[in-house]
Amino acid sequence: MAIVYPDFQTISKLRTPATEGEFHLLDELSFNLSSDFEIFFNPFLDGDRPDIIILRKGYGAVIIEVKDWNLSAYRVNTSNHWEVRTGTGSFHPIKSPMSQAFHYKSNLFNLHIPILGIMNITNNNFYKTIKVFVYFHNSTKNELNIFYKDALEALKIQKNNINKNYTNMTHADYEIKIYNIEKQIKKLERDMSMSFSKDIISRLLKRITDIQKSRIFSDEIYQEFRRRLLPSEWVFQQGKPLLLDEKQERLAQSCNECIKIRGVAGCGKTSILAKRALYAYQRHGNV
């Protein structure tokens, strides 16, 4: 079984709980992947919080964006832009899950793990060692196909019309138009190929396990990756009571007075203040 960080017990107590889809995918990944896979749930990467990152020493990394969406409320156009239906029935543009996943990947290279950016400069193939997938928990393979069908068919019709009217345009114009349409088709087909639903989760697992060993994903890169992804002690403390000693507990009690607390670094001043705030909240009848 793969190792999950933080463990499932800690994940269940997080202030921002995992969604049903995230729990299900984590369970499938941990059970079906071998022990040399490490799975990091919602790691803190400065301003980024990717849903799942999988790390395998000597192979590379995988970023998975998880959505519990009902795709009937969304649509994608020929430019590969997503929209969501609002309460009034109109559609509002949103960032696609694929764009979000690629955003996380780009920031790993450009912001979070500088050694990745350096490696990518020296070897263009290094960018491929980080794979990106999207998991739609409440959708099926058939629904994913239908979701992209209209946009792909519209582009293919446009391509056919350009081919029919080839004699009415210059060769340069024809080449540009065909190139742009084929580029959009490839983007849509790429996004389809990286999208997985609950009924084909086994294919996602196979895509992950089929990733080949990479000599350029060195131990140094793996260790730096792992160091940035491991959860902090703060994550493990979520959902646990704040324990103070007798003197700290006395100072934390909320009462109608002003007091000044002095102490060396690490003696618990912030913890006392946090618990005093809780007691003050309770004392004023707000719980």
Side-chain angles (χ1 to χ4, degrees):
M1 292 180 65
I3 305 169
V4 180
Y5 300 99
D7 56 77
F8 280 99
Q9 184 177 3
T10 301
I11 291 173
S12 66
K13 296 179 181 178
L14 294 177
R15 294 193 181 112
T16 302
T19 66
E20 179 184 323
E22 289 169 342
F23 259 123
H24 181 79
L25 183 57
L26 284 170
D27 187 57
E28 289 285 337
L29 292 170
S30 65
F31 182 78
N32 290 287
L33 297 180
S34 59
S35 59
D36 56 336
F37 286 90
E38 295 173 286
I39 303 167
F40 300 86
F41 173 69
N42 227 192
F44 288 87
L45 292 170
D46 300 326
D48 286 338
R49 296 291 303 277
D51 292 329
I52 295 172
I53 293 184
I54 303 171
L55 191 60
R56 192 181 189 190
K57 187 176 182 179
Y59 288 78
V62 175
I63 301 170
I64 305 180
E65 182 72 6
V66 181
K67 295 299 182 187
D68 290 37
W69 292 354
N70 183 343
L71 283 179
S72 63
Y74 299 83
R75 69 183 184 187
V76 62
N77 61 25
T78 55
S79 298
N80 203 18
H81 295 153
W82 282 50
E83 297 176 317
V84 60
R85 184 183 290 109
T86 65
T88 60
S90 60
F91 280 85
H92 178 75
I94 62 168
K95 194 170 188 176
S96 76
M98 296 76 186
S99 296
Q100 186 66 57
F102 281 120
H103 170 79
Y104 292 142
K105 178 176 177 176
S106 177
N107 281 355
L108 283 173
F109 282 83
N110 299 327
L111 296 174
H112 306 312
I113 307 179
I115 193 173
L116 297 185
I118 295 171
M119 286 298 301
N120 193 47
I121 292 173
T122 58
N123 189 330
N124 291 333
N125 290 322
F126 190 81
Y127 197 74
K128 299 176 183 178
T129 63
I130 315 297
K131 306 297 182 183
V132 175
F133 301 116
V134 179
Y135 171 65
F136 293 94
H137 183 64
N138 290 321
S139 300
T140 64
K141 178 180 180 295
N142 186 53
E143 288 170 342
L144 285 171
N145 291 338
I146 292 172
F147 181 78
Y148 283 100
K149 182 180 178 182
D150 289 345
L152 284 169
E153 287 188 348
L155 286 170
K156 290 173 182 177
I157 290 172
Q158 290 179 31
K159 185 177 179 180
N160 288 336
N161 289 336
I162 291 171
N163 286 326
K164 288 178 182 177
N165 294 290
Y166 169 73
T167 56
N168 298 326
M169 63 185 79
T170 66
H171 181 72
D173 285 342
Y174 170 80
E175 289 290 336
I176 291 172
K177 290 178 183 292
I178 290 295
Y179 171 80
N180 288 334
I181 288 178
E182 289 181 344
K183 184 178 178 181
Q184 292 306 119
I185 291 174
K186 286 180 180 179
K187 284 184 177 180
L188 288 166
E189 291 177 341
R190 176 206 64 191
D191 286 4
M192 282 186 65
S193 71
M194 61 184 277
S195 301
F196 297 87
S197 52
K198 189 175 181 180
D199 58 335
I200 55 170
I201 200 169
S202 59
R203 297 186 186 180
L204 173 58
L205 292 166
K206 189 175 189 305
R207 288 282 293 274
I208 295 170
T209 55
D210 281 351
I211 294 173
Q212 298 296 306
K213 200 162 188 175
S214 173
R215 288 181 296 176
I216 58 178
F217 197 82
S218 66
D219 289 353
E220 179 188 6
I221 294 169
Y222 161 76
Q223 292 295 345
E224 181 63 14
F225 225 123
R226 191 173 186 273
R227 183 187 69 81
R228 291 291 282 118
L229 295 177
L230 281 171
S232 65
E233 183 61 27
W234 176 83
V235 171
F236 294 99
Q237 294 303 318
Q238 290 189 52
K240 294 183 179 180
L242 183 58
L243 300 178
L244 305 177
D245 61 30
E246 185 177 343
K247 184 177 180 180
Q248 290 172 327
E249 187 67 35
R250 186 169 64 253
L251 293 170
Q253 293 303 313
S254 174
C255 53
N256 189 21
E257 66 174 355
C258 294
I259 62 174
K260 185 176 182 179
I261 302 173
R262 292 188 300 176
V264 298
C267 69
K269 297 186 298 296
T270 303
S271 297
I272 292 171
L273 182 62
K275 200 154 190 180
R276 189 179 178 91
L278 174 62
Y279 285 148
Y281 184 76
Q282 295 173 340
R283 183 166 66 90
H284 288 283
N286 293 317
V287 176

